[in-house]
Amino acid sequence: MRREINRRRTFAIISHPDAGKTTLTEKLLYMGGAIREAGEIKARKADRHARSDWMSMEQERGISVTSSVMQFRYKELEMNLLDTPGHRDFSEDTYRVLTAADSVIMVLDNAKGVEQQTRKLMEVCRMRDMPVITFINKMDRHGLPPLDLLQNIEESLDLETVPLSWPIGQGDRFRGTYNLHRDELHLFSHADMEGNHERLPIESIDDSRLDDVLGDQAEDLRFDVELMREAGNDLDKQAYLDGRQTPVFFGSALSNFGVGDMLDSFVELAPTPRPRPTTTRTVQPEEANFSGVVFKIQANMDPKHRDRMAFVRVCSGRFKRGMKVVHQRTGDETRLQNATTFMAQDRAGVDTAYPGDIIGIMNHGTIKIGDTFTDGEELHFTGVPSFAPEHFRKVHLDDPFRAKHLNKGLTQLSEEGAIQVFRPLRGNAYILGAVGALQFDVTVARLDDEYNVDAHLSGVRYTCCRWVSGPADVLDDFEAKNIDNLFRDAEGNLAYLGLSQFRLDRTIDDWPELSFEKTKEHT
Ligand code: G4P
């Protein structure tokens, strides 16, 4: 059991659109032998973006399945790479998937540094003290000076940086990287896009071979390396594991340069499957009994059925096909005959899975985000929360006789985490909340398709949301004074919807006895 756990790394790649996440993913899968040709994932992505509306996009069901979880092997290790949807399909799932990962690789564009979507995703990583390795990409193009990039990470993410490789020039003058830990020179060839770049072990930074190979750039490198060694931070594995320090690599994903270097350090440093909190105790991965938590539900996996797939992260014990498990929220016992595991190419039936692995369970609408499965013990995992929505719409129904169906549809969709639903304390129109605007299109399409409800949405002025709790008497007073901003979510929790960040901040200041939360645990 310990051996299997130690062999696993479950992680996600986060980035702002266009920084190179798809390109890097592809190189990782290629190096892991999970795809035969570089270009496969890219082609799928292009295909996906060529489609304009969600329904036709979803008709290519296979795309979303295979890219949700990608398993590949690297140096005898089982790598579970979780996809964090970005671009148009950025949604609450993007955040939630991170809660199933043990660590992340952050990809930055060397010309842009930390961008907005990366910052948002990093907020979620910071909530969970998640270890982060940074890959600064596109060094074959001209970008910001490396020191500025490090400073940018430190300042905008409050994260100490430790460069483990150092770039030699960039753009046209990019010659490669110097591995600061192994004293190794990696030479970049602009002509070689396959990644067969030369590695040159050298004695030390003073080795005269550097001058032979790098010419006048050798002195610049020596200066930089000396500066790093004197003024830079030392690698502190514990600080990395605690999410306080990030090892940094420079490279060019497109030409597969620096990716292997980063991956080698990743497998050495990145945590094996970590313990997970429950409402009663912390579950250790090596415990003999099986347990798992649902972090994502995907609908319409098969166009012929209304089935949904629940993605379960195995938290402890060994999963075996056909084993009996208890769905903790309902108390129902089910036999997991048809669980699925995820190879990059195909869905494949799974016989055995270990902590850190992801399995897919078919679901007929009874499974909710955050649900726990065990082989007996009563447990409820925490840490797969809802995230405060940032986009809001009001729901209108043309046919009032479909109100019951609308209600049912919205309840189920919110249980799946597809959308958040709020009911005003005064009045009765539903407000929908989403982290990514595409969630609204998906909701309208699914209400029509699965519940035969013809709903349409209109804009509202709310821009932010917080879940509110506190002493009952203060809450009574708060409700009376803020009635027009107050709502109950699908689980009955009180939520404040604000018209602007400024107003929200003022409300928070005005009510110091109340707590205003950006995330909410499922109950
Ligand atoms: P994303 O998933 O983070 O959105 O980024 P993606 O990998 O799709 O990369 C975005 C663009 O950046 C692509 O160019 C890609 O080829 C390019 N790119 C990625 N890594 C590197 C790199 O190391 N160096 C350079 N120079 N470019 C890189 P595109 O023009 O949008 O697409 P395509 O025409 O190449 O397919």
Side-chain angles (χ1 to χ4, degrees):
M1 211 28 207
R2 218 342 83 202
R3 201 179 73 91
E4 289 298 336
I5 294 167
N6 286 344
R7 287 179 58 222
R8 277 162 170 79
R9 304 287 183 277
T10 302
F11 68 106
I13 302 180
I14 61 172
S15 73
H16 190 80
D18 280 339
K21 188 181 73 169
T22 310
T23 311
L24 181 68
T25 300
E26 187 160 272
K27 301 300 174 199
L28 295 181
L29 295 181
Y30 182 60
M31 282 159 68
I35 53 173
R36 276 176 293 277
E37 254 177 80
E40 279 185 37
I41 301 282
K42 191 101 206 146
R44 282 189 223 165
K45 178 180 157 180
D47 203 29
R48 191 157 63 165
H49 283 278
R51 273 164 238 279
S52 54
D53 67 299
W54 174 80
M55 285 312 282
S56 60
M57 179 179 104
E58 277 298 293
Q59 273 156 18
E60 286 288 316
R61 321 279 166 170
I63 295 175
S64 35
V65 185
T66 47
S67 57
S68 293
V69 184
M70 290 161 277
Q71 195 171 56
F72 63 96
R73 198 170 272 191
Y74 185 72
K75 295 192 168 169
E76 299 306 308
L77 298 179
E78 298 292 343
M79 314 285 275
N80 292 308
L81 169 54
L82 308 181
D83 186 44
T84 51
H87 293 258
R88 287 185 67 243
D89 37 4
F90 186 80
S91 71
E92 206 185 329
D93 264 354
T94 312
Y95 288 155
R96 214 148 23 211
V97 162
L98 287 179
T99 66
D102 295 305
S103 73
V104 300
I105 295 175
M106 171 170 77
V107 185
L108 303 180
D109 185 320
N110 73 336
K112 301 193 173 136
V114 179
E115 296 174 86
Q116 182 227 7
Q117 198 156 302
T118 309
R119 200 171 290 124
K120 280 165 113 182
L121 291 163
M122 277 299 294
E123 253 183 56
V124 177
C125 297
R126 298 311 294 266
M127 271 170 43
R128 312 196 63 233
D129 298 331
M130 219 182 260
V132 181
I133 284 187
T134 302
F135 185 77
I136 298 184
N137 193 26
K138 306 196 186 181
M139 293 306 293
D140 57 300
R141 281 194 197 166
H142 195 72
L144 298 165
L147 279 174
D148 289 6
L149 285 160
L150 298 184
Q151 193 182 355
N152 172 243
I153 298 170
E154 302 223 343
E155 284 172 3
S156 55
L157 300 176
D158 190 22
L159 198 56
E160 200 176 281
T161 57
V162 195
L164 296 189
S165 78
W166 194 257
I168 303 155
Q170 50 180 301
D172 293 343
R173 278 174 59 82
F174 184 52
R175 301 297 309 279
T177 52
Y178 187 81
N179 187 307
L180 292 156
H181 272 237
R182 285 196 279 271
D183 277 317
E184 205 173 52
L185 188 65
H186 295 195
L187 287 170
F188 174 75
S189 151
H190 281 271
D192 183 1
M193 299 309 263
E194 294 300 316
N196 307 311
H197 306 277
E198 200 184 337
R199 286 181 183 219
L200 209 60
I202 52 173
E203 297 281 300
S204 76
I205 192 71
D206 296 320
D207 196 321
S208 65
R209 275 191 296 172
L210 280 181
D211 304 278
D212 302 340
V213 180
L214 299 176
D216 63 344
Q217 283 178 276
E219 269 317 295
D220 295 343
L221 174 66
R222 288 197 181 101
F223 179 83
D224 287 346
V225 167
E226 216 154 286
L227 186 71
M228 278 303 116
R229 287 188 170 152
E230 271 170 25
N233 303 306
D234 289 330
L235 175 67
D236 174 350
K237 187 167 176 187
Q238 196 53 46
Y240 157 71
L241 290 173
D242 294 344
R244 290 181 281 116
Q245 188 186 72
T246 181
V248 179
F249 291 85
F250 293 85
S252 161
L254 189 62
S255 32
N256 202 1
F257 183 85
V259 178
D261 208 18
M262 190 250 324
L263 193 56
D264 287 343
S265 292
F266 174 82
V267 296
E268 234 173 71
L269 292 169
T272 57
R274 303 211 282 183
R276 308 275 306 190
T278 71
T279 50
T280 42
R281 67 185 187 86
T282 297
V283 171
Q284 301 297 330
E286 57 273 14
E287 290 180 24
N289 292 328
F290 168 80
S291 67
V293 62
V294 177
F295 65 94
K296 170 175 168 136
I297 292 177
Q298 187 151 347
N300 298 332
M301 305 291 284
D302 179 344
K304 292 191 286 298
H305 301 106
R306 287 274 159 81
D307 284 348
R308 292 136 213 199
M309 185 173 276
F311 289 77
V312 177
R313 177 185 155 120
V314 179
C315 299
S316 69
R318 180 184 292 121
F319 166 82
K320 279 201 184 129
R321 177 195 293 287
M323 81 187 291
K324 263 196 204 152
V325 295
V326 182
H327 184 190
Q328 291 294 326
R329 188 173 47 80
T330 61
D332 294 344
E333 203 176 64
T334 34
R335 203 175 267 287
L336 297 181
Q337 239 15 305
N338 295 314
T340 300
T341 186
F342 303 93
M343 298 304 286
Q345 288 287 35
D346 294 302
R347 281 200 267 166
V350 58
D351 287 324
T352 316
Y354 292 91
D357 288 344
I358 311 298
I359 53 176
I361 300 178
M362 274 307 169
N363 161 30
H364 311 288
T366 50
I367 303 178
K368 279 171 60 167
I369 289 284
D371 279 358
T372 299
F373 287 89
T374 74
D375 56 9
E377 185 182 349
E378 190 182 333
L379 281 178
H380 298 277
F381 283 101
T382 57
V384 187
S386 282
F387 294 86
E390 290 158 39
H391 304 276
F392 303 87
R393 299 282 187 278
K394 194 182 217 163
V395 187
H396 303 271
L397 191 59
D398 293 334
D399 178 358
F401 290 108
R402 302 299 293 167
K404 251 169 85 178
H405 296 82
L406 174 71
N407 196 353
K408 182 175 171 218
L410 288 180
T411 304
Q412 284 200 350
L413 293 179
S414 73
E415 287 181 356
E416 282 179 25
I419 197 78
Q420 293 189 41
V421 182
F422 299 92
R423 268 205 116 123
L425 293 199
R426 185 158 68 190
N428 48 24
Y430 288 110
I431 299 285
L432 303 185
V435 161
L438 184 73
Q439 289 177 255
F440 295 127
D441 299 354
V442 172
T443 301
V444 170
R446 289 190 56 193
L447 282 173
D448 184 20
D449 193 38
E450 296 167 39
Y451 302 92
N452 197 15
V453 171
D454 191 9
H456 66 271
L457 308 180
S458 67
V460 284
R461 286 165 59 222
Y462 304 111
T463 62
C464 47
C465 165
R466 293 292 181 273
W467 283 280
V468 188
S469 58
D473 54 330
V474 186
L475 276 178
D476 285 346
D477 194 17
F478 179 69
E479 285 181 16
K481 293 192 171 123
N482 293 277
I483 189 86
D484 290 329
N485 292 82
L486 292 179
F487 294 77
R488 298 242 170 238
D489 70 11
E491 289 175 328
N493 300 297
L494 186 67
Y496 174 91
L497 269 51
L499 295 178
S500 68
Q501 187 63 42
F502 174 76
R503 297 250 194 121
L504 172 67
D505 291 343
R506 219 174 56 187
T507 307
I508 294 173
D509 284 347
D510 287 348
W511 298 87
E513 286 170 79
L514 298 179
S515 82
F516 292 79
E517 301 295 337
K518 260 177 123 168
T519 58
K520 180 204 67 176
E521 285 291 334
H522 290 269
T523 49

